[in-house]
């Protein structure tokens, strides 16, 4: 059994809201790590931050990695990790632990063999006598993390997602890396769009929010940006395209969030929308939009969906720094035995945010956001 045995590191700075651990050498810590939900680029970098933070300060550290998200915690699929596991992973995308989607709403529902999942997770935690379970994930993951906290486990949550939709933190790790990739996709479209005089739609991930599309759209110089928080009017979209044509611009680029919605659809109740979607003939929103644009303008339309490339590859330098900071701050909380928090970035300071205050909330783009105002000021249309 390889353990982490390291010296105490006094090199802390005191600029963070979280007060750093200063008591001296902590003798023994036993922590669990798991990554759950869709992956992203900086999961490994964040786990590395946690483990390096602990191993530099704790004389005897045991780290258990649960495989494939909550599945590993439920079914006792874990392995003890050594310092080698955290070496060379700062730049490595994906997750060394694997991940899976385990919907929160099914956590209280027994599995096909009648297993009580919550009880099973608690038993595995207690069996390993963990001091803390560090959970990396997005909104759904966070809800289960909070449930486990309510059940009495020591939990730290680290906010992961390319969608940047976690309430209580300005930034999630993975987001900036995905912005880079989505921006690159739009950049590449620019040259071909200009040569062909076409309308191009680039469909960008982000689930039900528009952060990724908004940032990549602005960074990539999109002419029209459609996000879920600002339902679009197809006539306004056409107007914006026509305005460009009238101004002698041969092409138009639309950055379309995968969750973009028309004004008519936004008025429907959840039930009505579900009913309508039963007969939906398009693979995604961009294809419907493309049809409508072509019908109304007769201009050639092309669609690009970068899809999961947005979650792939290495974390960008911003994410590496963010992950290292969040991971280090999580280690600090563990050493101080302060549990039940999400480690967040608020106004460029790392803060601990009570999980109970944020779990289940979504951070959406406000149509009044300054970023939207600035984008509109330079002529970007939001189709509203
Ligand atoms: O939440 C991250 C995300 O990439 C969303 O942007 C997207 O809607 C979803 O995950 C895709 O999920 P999956 O990988 O399960 O298809």
């Amino acid at each position: 059994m390889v353990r982490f045995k390291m010296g105490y590191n006094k090199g802390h700075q005191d600029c963070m809201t979280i007060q750093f651990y200063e008591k001296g050498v902590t003798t023994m810590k036993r922590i669990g790590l798991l990554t759950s939900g869709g992956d992203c680029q900086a999961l490994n970098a964040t786990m590395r931050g946690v483990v390096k933070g602990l191993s530099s300060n704790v004389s005897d550290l045991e780290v258990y990695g649960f495989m494939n998200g909550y599945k590993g915690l439920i079914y006792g699929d874990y392995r003890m990790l050594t310092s080698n596991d955290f070496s060379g992973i700062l730049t490595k995308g994906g997750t060394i632990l694997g991940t899976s989607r385990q919907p929160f709403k099914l956590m209280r529902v027994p599995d096909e063999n009648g297993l009580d999942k919550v009880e099973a997770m608690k038993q595995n935690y207690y069996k390993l006598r963990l001091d803390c379970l560090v959970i990396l994930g997005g909104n759904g993951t966070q809800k289960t993390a909070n449930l486990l906290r309510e059940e009495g486990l020591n939990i730290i949550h680290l906010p992961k997602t390319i969608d940047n939709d976690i309430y209580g933190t300005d930034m999630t790790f993975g987001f900036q890396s995905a912005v880079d990739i989505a921006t690159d996709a739009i950049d590449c479209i620019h040259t071909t769009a200009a040569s062909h005089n076409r309308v191009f739609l680039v469909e960008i991930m982000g689930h039900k929010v528009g952060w990724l599309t908004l940032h990549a759209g602005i960074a990539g110089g999109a002419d029209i940006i459609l996000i879920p928080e600002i339902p679009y009017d197809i006539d306004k979209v056409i107007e914006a395209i026509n305005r460009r044509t009238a101004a002698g611009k041969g092409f138009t680029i639309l950055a379309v969030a995968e969750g973009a919605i028309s004004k008519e659809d936004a008025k429907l109740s959840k039930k009505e929308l579900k009913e309508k979607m039963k007969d939906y003939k398009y693979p995604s929103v961009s294809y419907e939009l493309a049809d409508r644009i072509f019908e109304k303008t007769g201009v050639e339309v092309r669609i690009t969906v970068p899809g999961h490339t947005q979650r792939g590859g290495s974390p960008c330098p911003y994410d590496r720094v963010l992950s290292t900071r969040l991971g280090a701050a999580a280690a600090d909380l563990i050493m101080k035995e302060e549990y039940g928090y999400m480690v967040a970035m608020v106004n460029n300071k790392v803060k601990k945010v009570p999980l109970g205050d944020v779990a289940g909330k979504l951070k959406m783009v406000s149509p009044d956001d300054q970023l939207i105002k600035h984008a509109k000021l330079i002529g970007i249309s939001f189709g509203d």
Side-chain angles (χ1 to χ4, degrees):
M1 184 173 73
V2 183
R3 285 199 175 149
F4 298 79
K5 290 188 193 288
M6 312 267 178
Y8 175 51
N9 173 11
K10 290 198 178 114
H12 294 322
Q13 294 169 0
D14 61 358
C15 60
M16 292 165 139
T17 307
I18 296 173
Q19 294 300 309
F20 279 109
Y21 173 79
E22 278 181 41
K23 279 183 230 152
V25 179
T26 305
T27 49
M28 168 77 201
K29 285 282 174 223
R30 198 179 273 120
I31 67 152
L33 283 174
L34 72 82
T35 56
S36 178
D39 72 341
C40 76
Q41 293 88 343
L43 282 162
N44 290 327
T46 310
M47 289 192 278
R48 172 184 175 271
V50 177
V51 172
K52 278 193 174 268
L54 286 171
S55 62
S56 302
N57 293 282
V58 170
S59 59
D60 195 357
L61 173 69
E62 280 181 18
V63 179
Y64 293 89
F66 292 96
M67 307 311 290
N68 303 312
Y70 286 114
K71 216 188 243 179
L73 185 59
I74 296 169
Y75 298 106
D77 183 9
Y78 58 83
R79 65 185 178 93
M80 182 175 250
L81 302 170
T82 72
S83 51
N84 281 345
D85 291 301
F86 297 93
S87 202
I89 64 167
L90 175 65
T91 58
K92 196 173 166 189
T95 160
I96 57 167
L97 298 180
T99 185
S100 65
R101 291 198 186 276
Q102 304 293 321
F104 170 71
K105 61 179 179 199
L106 296 182
M107 280 299 177
R108 291 279 186 199
V109 179
D111 78 355
E112 57 281 10
N113 299 313
L115 180 80
D116 180 331
K117 295 173 202 155
V118 176
E119 207 44 45
M121 288 192 280
K122 285 164 66 178
Q123 287 316 315
N124 283 317
Y125 174 98
Y126 290 126
K127 191 174 93 185
L128 292 171
R129 290 178 290 122
L130 297 179
D131 292 302
C132 176
L133 178 62
V134 181
I135 298 175
L136 293 81
N139 280 302
T141 301
Q142 188 191 56
K143 284 195 260 184
T144 300
N146 189 45
L147 181 153
L148 294 174
R149 177 194 66 83
E150 287 168 347
E151 290 287 324
L153 307 193
N154 294 333
I155 302 291
I156 299 283
H157 171 240
L158 288 162
K160 165 245 65 159
T161 170
I162 63 164
D163 304 337
N164 196 28
D165 59 353
I166 298 184
Y167 190 87
T169 184
D170 295 342
M171 195 53 71
T172 57
F173 55 87
F175 175 68
Q176 290 296 342
S177 302
V179 169
D180 281 5
I181 295 169
T183 303
D184 207 35
I186 301 174
D187 287 348
C188 290
I189 291 299
H190 253 105
T191 52
T192 174
S195 316
H196 281 276
N197 292 337
R198 287 169 168 165
V199 170
F200 268 92
L201 280 72
V202 183
E203 185 173 296
I204 296 171
M205 274 187 171
H207 202 217
K208 293 179 181 161
V209 304
W211 292 110
L212 188 50
T213 309
L214 180 60
H215 283 253
I218 293 172
D223 310 296
I224 302 172
I225 297 177
L226 304 181
I227 60 172
E229 294 89 339
I230 306 180
Y232 67 85
D233 174 342
I234 188 67
D235 293 327
K236 300 278 182 196
V237 173
I238 303 297
E239 265 173 44
I241 295 171
N242 289 341
R243 258 199 315 274
R244 277 184 61 81
T245 312
K249 315 269 186 190
F251 69 94
T252 301
I253 296 178
L254 288 85
V256 181
E258 62 178 352
I261 186 165
S262 67
K263 282 205 158 118
E264 308 92 76
D265 284 355
K267 283 188 195 132
L268 300 177
S269 67
K270 249 187 182 176
K271 202 173 154 202
E272 288 168 330
L273 196 58
K274 212 171 166 188
E275 198 54 38
K276 183 181 165 182
M277 294 313 273
K278 277 187 188 159
D279 304 320
Y280 197 66
K281 62 174 181 171
Y282 300 102
S284 67
V285 61
S286 293
Y287 291 83
E288 179 187 358
L289 260 165
D291 257 13
R292 298 181 78 184
I293 292 169
F294 181 68
E295 273 163 25
K296 291 187 182 247
T297 62
V299 179
E300 268 193 300
V301 188
R302 292 290 186 269
I303 300 159
T304 298
V305 183
H308 286 76
T309 62
Q310 292 163 98
R311 282 190 351 212
S314 295
C316 66
Y318 177 96
D319 270 338
R320 296 178 201 182
V321 175
L322 176 67
S323 292
T324 304
R325 291 182 72 183
L326 296 180
D332 202 51
L333 287 178
I334 294 166
M335 288 187 285
K336 290 183 301 187
E337 299 177 359
E338 290 187 37
Y339 306 118
Y341 294 103
M342 166 175 75
V343 184
M345 186 59 79
V346 182
N347 294 330
N348 212 26
K349 291 267 186 284
V350 177
K351 293 203 172 176
K352 54 182 187 188
V353 177
L355 258 178
D357 289 356
V358 291
K361 296 182 185 167
L362 200 61
K363 184 184 72 185
M364 303 190 82
V365 178
S366 161
D368 298 325
D369 197 294
Q370 207 181 32
L371 196 49
I372 303 273
K373 289 190 176 151
H374 288 154
K376 284 187 172 174
L377 204 79
I378 64 152
I380 296 175
S381 165
F382 285 81
D384 59 337

